[in-house]
Amino acid sequence: MTATQESPTAADSGANASQSFKAMASTQDVADTPPERVAAIVTSVLKGVHDAIAEHDVTYAEFNAAKAWLMSVGEGGEWPLFMDVFVEHAVEEQVAKSQHGTKGSILGPYYLPGQTRLDATCRLPRRDDEQGTPLVLEGQVRDVDGTPMPGAEVDIWHADADGYYSGFAPHVPDGNLRGVVVTDDEGRFAIETIQPAPYQIPHDGPTGQLIEASGWHPWRPAHLHIQVRAEGHRPITTQLYFAGGEYLDSDVAEATKPELVIDPQDDGTGTRRSTYDFELEPEA
Ligand code: DHB
Ligand code: FE
């Protein structure tokens, strides 16, 4: 990374994440929750807050600090970041209870739909001088009954060797290290890319303030985001992590699972390779 390079601020990535979420939310997953259920859920959330106030004997000064902080999260556009780091994993774990096949993980705020479609054996779009250890992820997409799935989409996106995502960092070109890989006749794929770095959630804004005020750290272990889709099957949104990687046991977003850790090995040419197969269940 060069000294002159512009790093994204929390406000920039927050604004981009808000925009991208609004664009997606208008087309999918809009809840039509009946009033009794809204009341039941909100009552439980508020009970948690009220109980915490009683348990910790919260003062007016602390209540006002919390109010000011919540306002700044909104003003800074950080709600998507906050929700995906601190809340999404619990929703994912709940949904996972009824999901068979490959384990899922959180989507996070940096998914962008409509990326370039690539052949089964491919290299993800990258800069001419892209830094980082070459990495190849290969595998097969199958139904949970073992049937290979040709034409499945392996939608992959990840941070660069400095931990930045294209679309959310001004110095990284659009579409960098993103692509929709289409599996071959045998449902196989082989994706060449580079090893991502651990990722630090934007910490110069209110979410960062909270993390610092609590004595936590803002890191996620290095990861690949992957969404696998195939006709007639329940899509799977997941992440792959790297054996021995820093922060694997202290992910700020609590989104790691042992089944999602890969251990790429050097193939003798300086490229690290790993195999990972994905299994999708039929749509209900
Ligand atoms: C965040 C970023 C990620 O890359 C991720 O996987 C989850 C959360 C975030 O900044 O909120
Ligand atoms: Fe991520």
Side-chain angles (χ1 to χ4, degrees), residues 64-74 79 82 205-210:
N64 286 330
K67 206 160 150 181
W69 180 81
L70 286 163
M71 287 159 64
S72 69
V73 175
W79 278 119
F82 180 87
T207 306
Q209 273 172 8
L210 171 72

Side-chain angles (χ1 to χ4, degrees), residues 81 85 106 108-110 165 199 201-202 220 223 225 239:
L81 303 179
V85 169
I106 65 173
Y110 298 147
Y165 284 85
Y199 166 83
I201 68 164
R220 298 212 59 221
H223 55 278
H225 289 270
Q239 300 188 23

Side-chain angles (χ1 to χ4, degrees), residues 139-150:
Q140 188 182 39
V141 179
R142 295 187 294 263
D143 187 288
V144 281
D145 72 5
T147 313
M149 290 202 279

Side-chain angles (χ1 to χ4, degrees), residues 33-44:
T33 307
E36 318 78 66
R37 186 168 157 82
V38 173
I41 295 170
V42 175
T43 301
S44 289

